[in-house]
Amino acid sequence: NVLHRLPELYVQDTFRLGGNTYSWVIDRKPCDSLDVVTDEMGNKYVDNLLSVSVKKNSQPLFSRTFKKKDFRHHLDAEFMSQSILDGCRFLEVHEGMVTFSLAVSFPDSDMSRPFKLNIGPDGSYMIVKNDDLEEEYNTDSLSYDGV
């Protein structure tokens, strides 16, 4: 059976905020060491690693490589077994918080669970569910220390 892979994704950009220059990178790569996902039709997909990094004035502010399991507290077992980590894009900067949109999805479908990755000015971060595209800061969030 053929193993399907999403194409590698590498996106970078810069922005200025409050006299500081920020640069960010999104790097998505299929990873053969992760579990293979099989959809309802029997198609097999390689899951992805998703790296996000942010620098402030050329100094590392945040850098992390995510796996689908990093979102397991927000996904039921069935969704975890049939989905891959696939989407990521820069969203905004608001009050010093750099925000990216991330998604765990069924391959080749519209079934997706969106998340926000909020990175604070100190490099700390929080992953929040983004079901209605509104800011959600509650007990469903996972908080971590920076870099």
Side-chain angles (χ1 to χ4, degrees):
N1 211 348
V2 175
L3 279 178
H4 299 279
R5 300 169 191 275
L6 291 182
E8 290 187 19
L9 172 72
Y10 186 90
V11 182
Q12 63 182 16
D13 204 353
T14 60
F15 61 89
R16 291 194 52 80
L17 177 67
N20 297 302
T21 300
Y22 292 80
S23 60
W24 56 265
V25 173
I26 297 169
D27 189 11
R28 180 190 70 202
K29 293 181 180 174
C31 181
D32 291 324
S33 66
L34 297 174
D35 291 340
V36 170
V37 172
T38 304
D39 70 10
E40 293 177 344
M41 304 299 291
N43 297 311
K44 296 184 181 301
Y45 294 84
V46 174
D47 205 346
N48 300 296
L49 292 176
L50 183 64
S51 298
V52 177
S53 61
V54 178
K55 290 184 179 181
K56 178 180 176 181
N57 299 323
S58 300
Q59 298 299 313
L61 175 68
F62 174 84
S63 182
R64 176 150 170 110
T65 299
F66 294 96
K67 298 176 183 175
K68 178 178 60 180
K69 73 177 187 175
D70 293 317
F71 303 87
R72 69 187 174 280
H73 300 293
H74 298 292
L75 303 170
D76 63 42
E78 181 181 355
F79 200 90
M80 281 289 292
S81 70
Q82 297 179 24
S83 62
I84 61 173
L85 180 57
D86 69 350
C88 186
R89 67 184 174 96
F90 174 79
L91 277 182
E92 66 179 351
V93 179
H94 183 68
E95 296 180 0
M97 182 87 59
V98 181
T99 303
F100 293 85
S101 172
L102 304 164
V104 177
S105 307
F106 284 4
D108 292 330
S109 84
D110 293 335
M111 289 294 297
S112 180
R113 298 292 188 269
F115 297 91
K116 281 186 180 180
L117 168 62
N118 295 314
I119 302 168
D122 62 351
S124 62
Y125 73 101
M126 185 182 309
I127 297 170
V128 294
K129 291 195 298 187
N130 192 20
D131 291 330
D132 56 5
L133 302 178
E134 292 179 7
E135 295 291 336
E136 295 180 4
Y137 298 98
N138 55 38
T139 56
D140 290 337
S141 304
L142 302 175
S143 298
Y144 305 92
D145 293 328
V147 185

